[in-house]
Amino acid sequence: MDRRKFLGQSSLAAGALAVGSLAIPGLLNANTELPFTHQPLAPLPKWQGFNLLDFFIPDPARSPAATTQQQLTWIRDWGFNFIRIPIAYPWYLKFDRSRDITPEEVYQVDEARVQQIETLVSMGNEQGLHVSLNLHRAPGYCINAGFREPYHLWTDAAAQEAFYYHWNFWAKRFRSKTPAQISFDLVNEPSMRKDLNDQHSASGPVPGEYYKKVATGALAAIRKENPAHLVIADGNNVGNDPIPELIGTPIGQSCRGYYPHAISHYKAPWANKEPEKNPLPVWPGKIGDTEYSRASLEKYYQPWLELKKKGVGVHCGECGCWNKTPHDVFLNWFGDLTGVLNDNGIGFALWNFIGDFGLLNSGRADVDYVDFHGYKLDHKLLDLLKKRQ
């Protein structure tokens, strides 16, 4: 569907898809209510699995090797039931990549690339895996630098219209999928960072009313195609904080498993301005001036556990540790982190499957790898993950 047709049809559906008195450009009017406003989401399944990075980079020429059917079979055979597919929306567009994208080009979908995404979703479903489709880079926002957006998702109506368009597009493509097969994770790790081209610039949580406006607008665009489609919103403040403004809507919420960053992102250059000065991590114990333990993790996740008690579906869409953290420290910390989640019925997905944070080919210098079909398998990590199933 092209942009003009989408905007025209969406106005016809506004009577069934508006949220209270909230006006959302191009999709909702100000005087009608969602029929599901008082129908909160049931608890989410305890999905466990991996993030697959096939479409994570905006430039397809730099994408990693495509996930294979065999790799998905390994995930299934190891007892996992979930894959999350973080997508940079420019990956599936047609435009001149030698310059910055324009607002008009944000709508230029490349059908051949869309079909590649559809193929991975179908392959995952064929293995009995639930697929979470996520816009890691959405029109007007990404937690990562490396691509210049033409506007700002949280403040610009044009960005919001494009955001709703893309989610309506994917909902239509997967209209026949059941909630057991697919869910839609709206935008990765929201924050109010004003300079989208500097990942180290100051940021903070998106104002709750802004987040609710954008999330419920996307929900409406998705459920226009299938009222059973399952929708999840990442926690505010880069995934750390629950979103109280969404309680009472049928939107699940996704936390993160990167606390504390002193362990999960030790020496990571994109997460630290001076990574070489990071103190050596330990677990449990003192890092810098702060003492950490499993009790620290229980305190960090308490707001998410309270959210779950209120009937909101909670899942941890990303967790893991970059490969510079000593392996024994990583495993000790990760055992406690996944233990807290598991003991409270919250599933999780490792970032990533193959790569620096991953189960295969992580590049850690202190791991006794097992050769597995030509990959280097971190068997101690795999054993830990299996214990949480």
Side-chain angles (χ1 to χ4, degrees), residues 110-136:
D110 184 332
E111 181 63 27
R113 298 207 180 278
V114 166
Q115 289 178 11
Q116 291 180 60
I117 296 172
E118 289 183 316
T119 295
L120 182 55
V121 171
S122 295
M123 287 167 53
N125 288 162
E126 288 167 5
Q127 295 297 326
L129 304 174
H130 178 87
V131 177
S132 171
L133 204 68
N134 164 249
L135 285 185
H136 190 278

Side-chain angles (χ1 to χ4, degrees), residues 328-349:
D328 59 339
V329 174
F330 163 45
L331 293 180
N332 290 339
W333 163 76
F334 200 54
D336 279 346
L337 186 147
T338 55
V340 171
L341 295 173
N342 189 69
D343 291 351
N344 289 281
I346 298 174
F348 56 86

Side-chain angles (χ1 to χ4, degrees), residues 17 21 31 36 39 46 137 171 186 226 361 363 389:
L17 294 171
S21 61
N31 302 311
F36 45 71
Q39 298 174 12
K46 199 176 76 171
R137 176 174 292 278
L186 297 177
N226 182 338
N361 290 4
Q389 293 175 359

Side-chain angles (χ1 to χ4, degrees), residues 209-266:
E209 66 273 19
Y210 287 23
Y211 199 158
K212 182 176 182 180
K213 173 184 176 181
V214 172
T216 52
L219 170 69
I222 289 168
R223 289 202 161 181
K224 177 177 179 288
E225 305 303 330
N226 182 338
H229 272 328
L230 186 56
V231 177
I232 295 173
D234 280 8
N236 206 342
N237 194 22
V238 196
N240 287 290
D241 301 339
I243 314 141
E245 293 81 6
L246 294 182
I247 295 174
T249 73
I251 300 178
Q253 299 192 31
S254 178
C255 62
R256 288 295 177 267
Y258 296 131
Y259 177 82
H261 269 221
I263 286 182
S264 66
H265 288 70
Y266 174 61

Side-chain angles (χ1 to χ4, degrees), residues 95-101:
F95 65 100
D96 182 355
R97 297 176 186 273
S98 68
R99 54 167 174 74
D100 294 343
I101 196 169

Side-chain angles (χ1 to χ4, degrees), residues 43-44 302-315 341 344-347:
L44 292 173
Q302 191 59 40
W304 291 96
L305 305 185
E306 293 298 323
L307 186 71
K308 190 170 183 287
K309 289 177 182 177
K310 294 177 181 178
V312 178
V314 175
H315 184 258
L341 295 173
N344 289 281
I346 298 174

Side-chain angles (χ1 to χ4, degrees), residues 4 51 170 219 354:
R4 183 176 299 175
N51 282 264
W170 286 115
L219 170 69
I354 301 173

